[in-house]
């Protein structure tokens, strides 16, 4: 899946450009997409001016285009100009500032540069029926339609009596009527489940998953060394610190072991009392460990003197925050190990994920170990740090190595068992946190007539929505957090949710998010099956965490309508309050739907290459795959199921 296959061209509307599109222009645009043959969906809409814009500012023109995955944006623009230059000039020619008598070649090059400059590839995108071009979708659907028609055209006494006879007859029929192309395997990306995972695929997996984790691990080591150097800068002249890694690992694992053992004595790590004990241990460990670190850091700059109590407390507070974050991160890594085992993806994905998480956990553990050198005060030859010329004996080194191995194994086993045991309680806590609380008073949502007209036009077709919201202030903070979560969801959609379901939400064909308007607005476009209300229900039930992570950084501020017959935002609206960034939020169903409705923008024009649902597309592909290759009982059953559906 490529984010660049979901594009939005957001262009300024020239002062002399009309707000309504002529029917002749729309007809020519409508003819352009089938001529290109590689566009799934296309939409034209007016985006209203930003809140607080000057009175005379005009709306923007948005052209949404969803293409085949292997079509680059520059190539798409070239094809659009080849098959629809006249129509596109009617749309964008008002922005031309060159001489009126310029040749068509010069205008074509200007328009190409103009469109490429205003093209916005999706910051995050999800494709339901993946790895399918427009041509494949249409051809496979035609195969299904003709195969079922051929079957139903047979007299009752000539119809196959079992699945094997049906499959044999359909295979012979397909070869005889010109569907020989089904012998070629359908396109399937490396991330979707299927046969043929080769060396190049393994290399791609390493590049996408393992190497970034190794980079993060290296960052953890660098942080640990930097802090250790800062703490021992003054001592470096007299001591050549040679760390004992096994001893460091063992000492850093002991606090985690203590927390896990206490979880068996209490009701559980995540019970109310368990949380208090865990927080107390973390804070105590961080403050005590960084007490000596703070003294060493200050003494590296100032001569050893009696520091005031206030300065000492300030040292602990500043450096304790860093230690607390590192310790919490190590605990979170351990908590994610059982969750990694449940990820939906290729068979190898959970194992590699678990190993990568363990590697990150070891990195944080070693960072903590650097701080524990001062805490334990072990600086003689037989233990953690060695003065120049001193060597540890083999028995001591072996004992520390054995202790480190036992400590790490105990932490891993106890963590997996403890968190697995607490999983039902975790689910209950999640349900409790997701319950909507008191909401600020907001008027009930009203559907603007222009939105109703658009939905009525698509009642028997693929549904579509355009949502435009403002990013919350301060922009720098919320914009970058939003980019982080959009990238995270994009990776999940590409590598984990590869079978057409995002979380457990179904029916999404192409959903994509764009940060536009100089980084101050969030544009969301979605092509989906079913009605709008059911679509939002799918998100509420199946992907609420992702919805909350993204839209909690947005808001609706009063803005003018793009056109007199389109909706405006009269009063400010806010996304329903979240808890811990991922809970509540859209679980307040009516408040969320009101927010979504008020953010919607109607379309002026809509093109779709096919009206099929995701289930229709999947069924046609299954029929094609069942008819190709060596026959088997499983394939025979798939053919029968497809043709009888």
């Amino acid at each position: 899946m490529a984010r660049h296959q979901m594009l939005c061209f957001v262009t300024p509307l020239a002062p002399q450009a009309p707000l309504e599109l002529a029917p002749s222009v729309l007809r020519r645009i409508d003819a352009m997409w089938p001529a290109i043959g590689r566009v799934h969906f296309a939409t034209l809409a007016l985006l209203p001016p930003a809140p607080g814009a000057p009175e005379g500012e005009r709306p923007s023109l948005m052209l949404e285009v969803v293409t085949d995955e292997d079509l680059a944006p520059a190539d798409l623009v070239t094809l659009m100009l080849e098959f629809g230059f006249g129509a596109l000039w009617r749309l964008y020619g008002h922005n031309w500032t060159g001489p009126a008598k310029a040749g068509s070649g010069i205008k074509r090059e200007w328009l190409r540069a103009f469109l490429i400059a205003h093209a916005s590839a999706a910051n995050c995108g999800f494709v339901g029926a993946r790895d399918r071009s427009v041509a494949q979708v249409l051809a496979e659907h035609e195969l299904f339609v003709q195969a079922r028609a051929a079957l139903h055209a047979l007299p009752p006494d000539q119809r196959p009596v079992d699945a094997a006879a049906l499959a044999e007859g359909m295979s012979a029929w397909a070869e005889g009527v010109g569907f020989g192309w089904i012998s070629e395997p359908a396109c399937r990306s490396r991330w979707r489940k299927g046969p043929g995972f080769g060396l190049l695929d393994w290399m791609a997996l390493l590049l996408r998953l393992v190497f970034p984790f190794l980079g993060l691990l290296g960052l953890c080591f660098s942080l640990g060394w930097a802090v250790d150097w800062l703490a021992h800068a003054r001592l470096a002249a007299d001591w050549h610190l040679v760390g004992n890694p096994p001893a460091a690992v063992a000492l850093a694992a002991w606090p985690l072991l203590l927390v896990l053992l206490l979880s068996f004595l209490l009701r559980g790590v995540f019970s109310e009392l368990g949380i208090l004990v865990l927080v107390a241990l973390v804070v105590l460990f961080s403050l005590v460990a960084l007490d000596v670190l703070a003294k060493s850091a200050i003494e590296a700059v100032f001569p050893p003197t009696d520091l005031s109590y206030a300065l000492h407390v300030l040292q602990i507070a500043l450096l304790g925050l860093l230690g607390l974050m590192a310790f919490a991160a190590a605990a979170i890594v351990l908590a994610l190990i059982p969750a990694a085992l449940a990820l939906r993806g290729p068979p190898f994905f959970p194992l590699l994920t678990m190993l990568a998480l363990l590697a990150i956990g070891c990195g944080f553990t070693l960072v903590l170990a650097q701080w524990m050198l001062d805490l334990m005060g072990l600086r003689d030859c037989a233990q953690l740090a060695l003065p120049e010329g001193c060597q540890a004996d083999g028995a001591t080194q072996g004992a520390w190595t054995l202790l480190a191995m036992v400590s790490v194994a105990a932490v891993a086993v106890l963590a997996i068992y403890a968190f697995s045991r607490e999983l039902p309680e975790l689910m209950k806590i999640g349900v409790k946190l997701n319950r909507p609380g008191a909401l600020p008073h907001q008027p009930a949502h009203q559907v603007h007539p222009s939105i109703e007209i658009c939905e009525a036009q698509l009642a028997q077709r693929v549904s579509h929505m355009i949502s435009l919201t403002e990013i919350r202030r301060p922009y720098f903070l919320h914009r970058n957090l939003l980019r982080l979560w959009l990238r995270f969801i994009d990776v999940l959609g590409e590598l984990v949710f590869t079978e057409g379901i995002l979380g457990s939400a179904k029916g999404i064909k192409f959903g994509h998010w764009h940060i536009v308007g100089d980084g101050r607005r969030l544009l969301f476009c979605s092509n989906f099956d079913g009605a709008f209300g059911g679509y939002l229900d799918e998100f509420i039930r199946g992907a609420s965490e992702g919805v909350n992570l993204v839209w909690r950084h947005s808001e609706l501020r009063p803005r003018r309508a793009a056109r007199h017959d389109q909706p405006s935002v009269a009063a400010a609206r806010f996304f329903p309050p979240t808890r811990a960034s991922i809970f509540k939020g859209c679980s307040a169903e009516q408040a969320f739907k009101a927010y979504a409705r008020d953010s919607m923008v109607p379309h002026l024009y809509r093109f779709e290459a096919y009206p099929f649902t995701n289930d229709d597309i999947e069924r046609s592909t299954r029929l094609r795959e069942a008819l190709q290759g060596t026959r088997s009982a499983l394939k025979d059953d798939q053919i029968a199921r497809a043709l009888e559906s």
Side-chain angles (χ1 to χ4, degrees):
M1 182 185 64
R3 287 182 291 127
H4 67 242
Q5 74 178 116
M6 290 165 277
L7 294 170
C8 281
F9 299 88
V10 182
T11 57
L13 204 62
Q16 66 274 26
L19 293 177
E20 296 187 11
L21 303 179
S24 59
V25 174
L26 297 182
R27 286 195 297 268
R28 294 168 69 180
I29 293 176
D30 213 34
M32 175 178 66
W33 308 120
I36 294 174
R38 306 183 67 182
V39 174
H40 296 258
F41 302 99
T43 308
L44 278 168
L46 291 174
L47 302 185
E55 187 64 29
E57 184 166 331
R58 306 203 78 197
S60 302
L61 180 63
M62 189 272 292
L63 171 61
E64 175 203 8
V65 186
V66 178
T67 69
D68 290 346
E69 184 174 350
D70 58 348
L71 184 60
D75 295 334
L76 168 65
V77 173
T78 300
L79 291 173
M80 289 166 59
L81 293 176
E82 179 181 350
F83 293 102
F85 171 72
L88 293 174
W89 186 259
R90 293 281 299 276
L91 280 180
Y92 302 108
H94 298 283
N95 297 88
W96 165 258
T97 57
K101 295 183 179 181
S104 61
I106 296 176
K107 292 181 178 179
R108 188 182 296 267
E109 287 302 317
W110 171 85
L111 184 53
R112 185 177 190 276
F114 178 78
L115 289 175
I116 291 177
H118 290 89
S120 169
N123 291 89
C124 172
F126 178 76
V127 180
R130 288 181 57 175
D131 309 326
R132 294 168 177 87
S133 64
V134 173
Q136 178 182 339
V137 171
L138 295 176
E140 289 177 351
H141 183 75
E142 184 64 21
L143 169 67
F144 168 75
V145 170
Q146 291 197 27
R148 191 164 64 171
L151 175 63
H152 287 276
L154 292 174
D157 58 340
Q158 295 182 19
R159 292 189 180 182
V161 296
D162 55 26
L166 173 62
E168 183 177 0
M170 285 295 103
S171 298
W173 168 85
E175 293 180 1
V177 296
F179 287 109
W181 51 265
I182 65 173
S183 60
E184 301 175 4
C187 179
R188 183 183 292 270
S189 69
R190 62 172 55 94
W191 305 117
R192 285 180 65 205
K193 295 179 182 177
F197 200 79
L199 177 61
L200 293 178
D201 301 306
W202 278 109
M203 293 177 63
L205 182 71
L206 290 175
L207 287 172
R208 295 299 302 274
L209 298 179
V210 178
F211 290 167
F213 283 123
L214 293 179
L216 182 59
L217 183 61
L219 179 63
C220 295
F221 278 117
S222 301
L223 176 64
W225 289 330
V227 173
D228 185 66
W229 176 85
L230 178 66
H232 300 94
R234 181 173 175 273
L235 301 176
D238 302 321
W239 289 78
H240 295 272
L241 299 179
V242 182
N244 187 336
V249 171
L251 291 174
W254 289 345
L256 295 179
L257 278 173
L258 180 60
V259 171
L260 291 170
L261 289 173
L262 284 175
S263 73
F264 292 99
L265 301 178
L266 303 172
R267 287 183 298 160
V269 175
F270 295 98
S271 64
E272 290 79 0
L273 183 59
I275 289 176
L276 292 177
V277 173
L278 176 61
V279 171
L281 285 172
V282 170
V283 172
L284 179 63
F285 168 75
S286 300
L287 294 181
V288 173
L290 291 168
D291 180 17
V292 178
L293 175 61
K295 291 178 182 177
S296 301
I298 295 298
E299 289 175 0
V301 181
F302 302 101
T305 58
D306 293 332
L307 299 176
S308 67
Y309 179 76
L311 181 59
H312 181 63
V313 172
L314 180 61
Q315 300 164 20
I316 295 178
L318 293 177
L319 294 175
L321 178 63
L322 182 62
L324 183 62
M325 292 173 62
F327 190 87
I332 290 173
V333 167
L334 291 175
L336 288 176
I337 292 175
L341 296 174
L343 288 178
R344 293 181 67 254
F348 48 78
F349 186 78
L351 177 60
L352 287 181
T353 303
M354 184 176 67
L355 294 177
L357 291 174
L358 284 175
I360 296 176
C362 291
F364 280 116
T365 299
L366 290 179
V367 171
L368 291 174
Q370 302 293 325
W371 293 328
M372 295 191 69
L373 295 176
D374 280 328
L375 171 66
M376 304 304 296
L378 302 174
R379 291 190 175 278
D380 57 68
C381 293
Q383 300 181 46
L384 283 178
L386 309 177
E388 185 177 12
C390 188
Q391 299 292 329
D393 59 87
T396 301
Q397 190 75 11
W400 276 114
T401 301
L402 179 62
L403 182 59
M405 294 173 61
V406 172
S407 300
V408 171
V411 167
V413 171
L414 286 176
I416 293 175
Y417 179 75
F419 286 111
S420 299
R421 188 189 68 172
E422 296 295 333
L423 189 58
E425 293 299 322
L426 280 175
M427 299 299 293
K428 293 179 182 178
I429 292 177
V431 172
K432 185 186 299 184
L433 292 176
N434 251 332
R435 292 174 183 166
L439 294 172
H441 175 71
Q442 291 184 340
H445 67 277
Q446 301 291 329
V447 183
H448 193 271
S450 63
I451 303 293
E452 290 182 327
I453 292 173
C454 290
E455 293 180 354
Q457 291 174 349
L458 303 177
Q460 303 301 322
R461 300 162 59 189
V462 176
S463 296
H464 180 260
M465 71 168 290
I466 304 169
S467 169
L468 181 66
T469 55
E470 278 65 53
I471 295 176
R472 290 170 54 189
R473 290 167 287 196
Y475 295 116
F476 175 80
L477 173 63
H478 288 284
R479 177 171 60 239
N480 287 288
L481 285 174
L482 183 59
R483 283 183 174 140
L484 171 66
W485 293 124
L486 288 176
R487 185 58 183 152
F488 174 70
I489 295 172
D490 187 72
V491 171
L492 286 182
E494 183 176 1
L495 306 183
V496 180
F497 299 108
T498 60
E499 303 303 312
I501 301 175
L502 182 59
S504 58
K506 303 177 181 179
I508 307 170
K509 278 186 163 49
F510 295 91
H512 47 111
W513 294 258
H514 303 254
I515 296 177
V516 298
D518 296 326
R520 298 190 173 192
R521 310 184 89 176
L522 176 63
L523 175 65
F524 173 65
C525 301
S526 181
N527 304 272
F528 56 93
D529 299 331
F532 178 77
Y535 174 67
L536 288 188
D537 289 338
E538 288 283 349
F539 271 110
I540 294 172
R541 293 192 297 265
S544 60
E545 294 84 359
V547 172
N548 292 335
L549 282 174
V550 170
W551 271 286
R552 69 179 300 272
H553 298 287
S554 71
E555 62 184 0
L556 279 172
R557 297 197 292 273
R559 68 189 184 203
R560 301 193 308 273
R563 205 169 67 181
H564 70 279
D565 59 344
Q566 294 193 3
S568 62
V569 177
R573 276 193 179 272
F574 303 95
F575 188 77
T578 60
R579 180 180 289 140
S581 296
I582 63 173
F583 297 110
K584 292 181 63 177
C586 67
S587 62
E589 180 178 345
Q590 294 305 315
F592 168 58
K593 289 184 176 180
Y595 183 80
R597 281 294 192 188
D598 282 356
S599 72
M600 289 178 65
V601 175
H603 63 259
L604 304 178
Y605 161 83
R606 173 77 176 150
F607 166 81
E608 57 187 32
Y610 46 83
F612 318 134
T613 66
N614 281 353
D615 289 339
D616 294 336
I617 297 172
E618 291 286 352
R619 178 182 55 194
S620 299
T621 300
R622 285 197 302 270
L623 177 61
R624 170 190 178 166
E625 293 176 342
L627 286 171
Q628 67 186 213
T630 305
R631 282 182 45 213
S632 65
L634 177 60
K635 288 186 176 182
D636 294 348
D637 182 65
Q638 289 177 339
I639 293 172
R641 287 175 177 270
L643 294 179
E644 292 174 359
S645 60

